[in-house]
Amino acid sequence: MAHVVQDIKLIPNAEAFTFIPISAFTKFLDSWNVIPKNLKPFQLHPEDIPKCDDNNDVNFEECMTEHMLKFTRNQFKLLGFESGWIYNTSRVIEGRYVNLLESLNINMKHFAIGPLHPLVRDVGIKSKHQSLEWLDKQKKGLIHELANGLDECEQKFIWVLRRADSSDIFAQENGRLGEPQLPQEYEEKVKHKGIVVRDWNRDIGP
């Protein structure tokens, strides 16, 4: 997704973070292998990088199609402006490799927030989180509550409002997907301490 957010480097008070969906072990090994032996910044413990067998190291390029390799390389060309990396793992599971990545990239911030996985609901099994059940029971008008909260907190803000989920094409055809409704004259009222943006334009370059 790097090509989608590459213009964020033009915003002086914004930071970008790269999400690493693979394991920290895989990320470290991939980063380590591209560094020439005479330029490696430190020595590894023999147990840090296991071998596939007695003779061959891991070669990830052999595990990917040419199309995926080309896509990945093109994404990396657009990186370099991020402030840190977010890993799909936890330090309890892969703390050794998160620490190694921190040592290898000392100018980056490193966050392990996983493991993340998609929510899959099984019929007949109660799998919905209690917070979502609570939210489903609330009355309509949440946007008004959020608007009032932003107004009263007296903090600077940018609030991006979008339409409801547009995956229902029939709702679009029947006009059931309207603009989010704010309190009357709200945008004029908060113009000195906040910005309300409707349907955020992805092209945010100059």
Side-chain angles (χ1 to χ4, degrees):
M1 294 176 61
H3 68 283
V4 179
V5 297
Q6 59 182 304
D7 289 337
I8 200 170
K9 59 179 174 286
L10 302 174
I11 304 176
N13 61 344
E15 287 185 305
F17 292 85
T18 299
F19 176 65
I20 310 296
I22 57 179
S23 67
F25 166 74
T26 302
K27 175 61 179 173
F28 173 74
L29 190 58
D30 189 44
S31 301
W32 185 259
N33 284 340
V34 299
I35 302 175
K37 289 185 178 180
N38 62 327
L39 296 179
K40 293 189 185 295
F42 50 81
Q43 296 292 322
L44 291 178
H45 189 278
E47 295 182 356
D48 285 336
I49 300 184
K51 297 180 182 296
C52 288
D53 54 44
D54 293 336
N55 299 313
N56 297 312
D57 290 334
V58 178
N59 185 348
F60 286 103
E61 291 197 358
E62 295 178 356
C63 304
M64 302 172 68
T65 65
E66 184 60 34
H67 175 76
M68 180 57 70
L69 282 172
K70 182 179 179 180
F71 173 79
T72 303
R73 289 167 184 153
N74 287 336
Q75 297 302 302
F76 273 102
K77 292 177 182 177
L78 300 172
L79 294 176
F81 58 87
E82 68 271 27
S83 299
W85 293 345
I86 300 174
Y87 302 99
N88 182 21
T89 188
S90 72
R91 290 182 182 271
V92 174
I93 299 173
E94 293 191 289
R96 173 188 293 184
Y97 299 103
V98 175
N99 292 338
L100 286 170
L101 283 162
E102 287 178 327
S103 299
L104 197 60
N105 302 274
I106 59 175
N107 294 324
M108 289 284 184
K109 300 173 184 177
H110 301 262
F111 302 95
I113 63 169
L116 304 175
H117 59 84
L119 176 64
V120 179
R121 297 194 64 184
D122 193 359
V123 177
I125 299 179
K126 184 179 179 181
S127 58
K128 200 169 188 179
H129 192 272
Q130 61 181 3
S131 63
L132 298 178
E133 292 182 348
W134 175 85
L135 191 59
D136 288 341
K137 296 176 182 177
Q138 304 311 302
K139 296 180 179 179
K140 295 182 179 180
L142 183 59
I143 288 185
H144 280 240
E145 296 294 333
L146 291 172
N148 292 332
L150 286 171
D151 182 21
E152 295 177 7
C153 74
E154 298 184 353
Q155 298 294 321
K156 300 289 185 180
F157 68 87
I158 298 177
W159 186 13
V160 181
L161 285 177
R162 60 180 292 274
R163 294 174 181 268
D165 190 348
S166 58
S167 61
D168 184 353
I169 60 173
F170 300 105
Q172 287 181 302
E173 291 175 354
N174 297 327
R176 289 188 280 116
L177 283 177
E179 293 287 343
Q181 297 301 310
L182 289 171
Q184 189 174 7
E185 298 179 353
Y186 179 79
E187 294 179 56
E188 180 67 22
K189 180 180 178 182
V190 300
K191 67 180 182 180
H192 296 297
K193 60 183 173 183
I195 301 174
V196 177
V197 183
R198 296 180 182 272
D199 293 327
W200 181 270
N201 186 352
R202 294 180 182 178
D203 183 12
I204 57 175

